[in-house]
Amino acid sequence: MTDYLGTVVAVQANFYRVSLSLAQGGQSLLCTRRSRLKKIGQKVMVGDRVLVEEVDLIDAQGVVAKVFPRKTVLDRPPIANADQIVLVFALADPPLDPFSLSQFLVKAESTQLFPLLCLNKIDLVSEQEQEQWQQRLLGWGYKPIFISVAKVNGLDVIQTYLDQKISVFAGLSGAGKSSLINTLIPQTNIATAAVSGKLNRGRHTTRHVELFDLPLGGLVADTPGFNQPDLDCNPQDLASYFPEARERLAKGSCQFSDCLHRDEPNCLVRGDWERYDHYLRFLEKVIAHQEAVNKMPDDETNLKLKMDTSGKENYEPKLESKKYRRLSRRASHQELQDFYESEVEKL
């Protein structure tokens, strides 16, 4: 029986949807996993390149027998072998907030993946405002792509960046991530939602991670939206996630090897660049997170940022224990059955 190579495009419990390589027909299979992989603790992730055995092309089924080494791994969202992060932000409706954009850019930089900045809804702003944002972001170290999903403007430029790559889409809800993917890949039909009138921000619509095939090659993932990407890096590494700071450090080094670029003498990073205030604010959060982690027992180091009614931010341990998260057996079985039926329909 012939073995096949493919890419995992969706995961639900013990089922894996695997897209075979084009050289082997490009068919989609609903697969289980070898028990041996479970015994050795081998996790199967969306984006994994896998070897599939016991393939039945008529019933479109198989068994994942091997996971090939990963070149990149993202924990949030859980995706393997991604090449780039596409940050989709709206210029209007909701209005573009520099601080939120900066926070997403820093998080993207921390993944070591290429950050591609895509600004949507250019049809809602003037050419002058678009030019102002372009010059401003060039000063940050980024060359944005300007598009309008509604007017189908600039999408051909994006496709050249997505070709033959695994791209992770992220950004604030309501910016047009799902609408963009629906336009690029009409058959996906991802749910979208309008921007909330009261809060002037989008409602989250994406519920899980899934890869979709681009017609001209490549895979894209619409990730579950989040409004505050976490910054859990080492404080000494934070400056390297700002292109402006990297440019300054490329010219030399600070006096102290552990310089945090605040008030240390002979610091090359500290200065009058626009996002320096963003850096200081992020640094406070990163240091607070690290201090909180150092005080927690090993089994409680996964923390979440929570804001109280007064607006004060605190870190609290995430409740990952099964006693908090476990579903009832009936609900679990129903979830598996729903997933299996939906995957069979796709095949």
Side-chain angles (χ1 to χ4, degrees):
M1 187 172 293
T2 304
D3 295 337
Y4 290 79
L5 299 177
T7 301
V8 178
V9 295
V11 175
Q12 178 68 38
N14 294 322
F15 290 105
Y16 308 91
R17 186 150 56 87
V18 178
S19 179
L20 299 182
S21 64
L22 293 178
Q24 294 184 307
Q27 187 174 351
S28 182
L29 304 177
L30 186 60
C31 300
T32 56
R33 175 181 58 166
R34 283 264 183 254
S35 58
R36 177 180 58 83
L37 296 181
K38 183 177 181 180
K39 290 179 180 178
I40 65 176
Q42 175 64 67
K43 184 178 181 180
V44 181
M45 299 175 62
V46 170
D48 270 332
R49 292 281 297 162
V50 296
L51 177 69
V52 183
E53 298 178 344
E54 299 182 22
V55 174
D56 185 337
L57 294 179
I58 297 178
D59 292 333
Q61 296 179 357
V63 178
V64 174
K66 180 180 179 179
V67 177
F68 294 100
R70 299 161 179 153
K71 60 181 182 180
T72 61
V73 177
L74 291 178
D75 293 326
R76 295 181 59 191
I79 296 179
N81 300 315
D83 297 291
Q84 59 188 354
I85 294 181
V86 182
L87 295 179
V88 182
F89 271 73
L91 287 168
D93 191 31
L96 182 54
D97 174 53
F99 186 76
S100 294
L101 175 58
S102 187
Q103 196 165 11
F104 273 84
L105 285 168
V106 170
K107 182 60 180 179
E109 292 274 4
S110 71
T111 66
Q112 308 301 316
L113 299 180
F114 175 74
L116 179 64
L117 179 55
C118 180
L119 299 182
N120 188 25
K121 304 184 182 180
I122 58 174
D123 53 301
L124 301 181
V125 300
S126 65
E127 292 184 5
Q128 181 181 7
E129 186 174 354
Q130 179 179 324
E131 177 64 23
Q132 289 174 346
W133 271 111
Q134 183 172 17
Q135 295 304 317
R136 186 175 185 178
L137 293 170
L138 285 174
W140 290 14
Y142 299 97
K143 186 177 181 180
I145 299 174
F146 292 91
I147 69 166
S148 170
V149 176
K151 302 297 182 180
V152 196
N153 187 353
L155 303 191
D156 54 335
V157 178
I158 292 181
Q159 291 189 26
T160 62
Y161 284 93
L162 303 179
D163 186 36
Q164 308 304 320
K165 294 183 175 65
I166 295 181
S167 304
V168 178
F169 279 61
L172 292 175
S173 298
K177 300 187 304 297
S178 297
S179 296
L180 175 56
I181 295 179
N182 285 337
T183 303
L184 294 172
I185 319 173
Q187 65 268 27
T188 57
N189 195 28
I190 300 173
T192 60
V195 174
S196 167
K198 292 183 179 180
L199 301 177
N200 201 24
R201 65 189 183 196
R203 302 183 186 95
H204 167 54
T205 54
T206 305
R207 302 300 179 187
H208 64 281
V209 179
E210 184 173 355
L211 293 177
F212 300 97
D213 288 295
L214 286 163
L216 300 180
L219 296 165
V220 299
D222 186 19
T223 62
F226 53 96
N227 292 328
Q228 295 294 332
D230 60 309
L231 298 175
D232 53 2
C233 62
N234 188 308
Q236 278 75 28
D237 295 334
L238 181 62
S240 66
Y241 304 144
F242 288 81
E244 313 96 302
R246 292 201 301 265
E247 182 180 357
R248 286 163 171 76
L249 291 171
K251 299 177 182 178
S253 58
C254 297
Q255 179 176 339
F256 300 101
S257 59
D258 59 350
C259 184
L260 291 179
H261 317 298
R262 292 181 294 188
D263 51 8
E264 297 89 342
N266 299 319
C267 174
L268 294 182
V269 173
R270 187 176 64 248
D272 58 356
W273 47 289
E274 181 185 355
R275 290 202 298 165
Y276 181 61
D277 178 63
H278 293 180
Y279 167 78
L280 293 177
R281 293 168 65 180
F282 295 157
L283 182 62
E284 290 182 4
K285 292 185 178 183
V286 170
I287 292 176
H289 178 268
Q290 185 181 62
E291 291 176 347
V293 168
N294 291 339
K295 293 178 181 179
M296 300 295 294
D298 291 340
D299 59 348
E300 296 181 353
T301 55
N302 290 325
L303 301 178
K304 64 179 178 180
L305 180 64
K306 190 172 184 180
M307 184 176 295
D308 60 25
T309 55
S310 66
K312 184 178 179 181
E313 294 180 343
N314 297 292
Y315 284 96
E316 297 182 359
K318 297 177 183 178
L319 301 181
E320 297 293 347
S321 173
K322 288 186 178 181
K323 67 180 179 181
Y324 296 107
R325 301 292 188 181
R326 187 174 184 179
L327 293 174
S328 68
R329 181 174 299 178
R330 179 179 180 181
S332 179
H333 285 176
Q334 183 63 49
E335 185 178 90
L336 287 174
Q337 182 64 29
D338 291 343
F339 176 77
Y340 181 83
E341 291 176 356
S342 67
E343 294 304 302
V344 170
E345 290 178 1
K346 292 179 181 178
L347 301 174

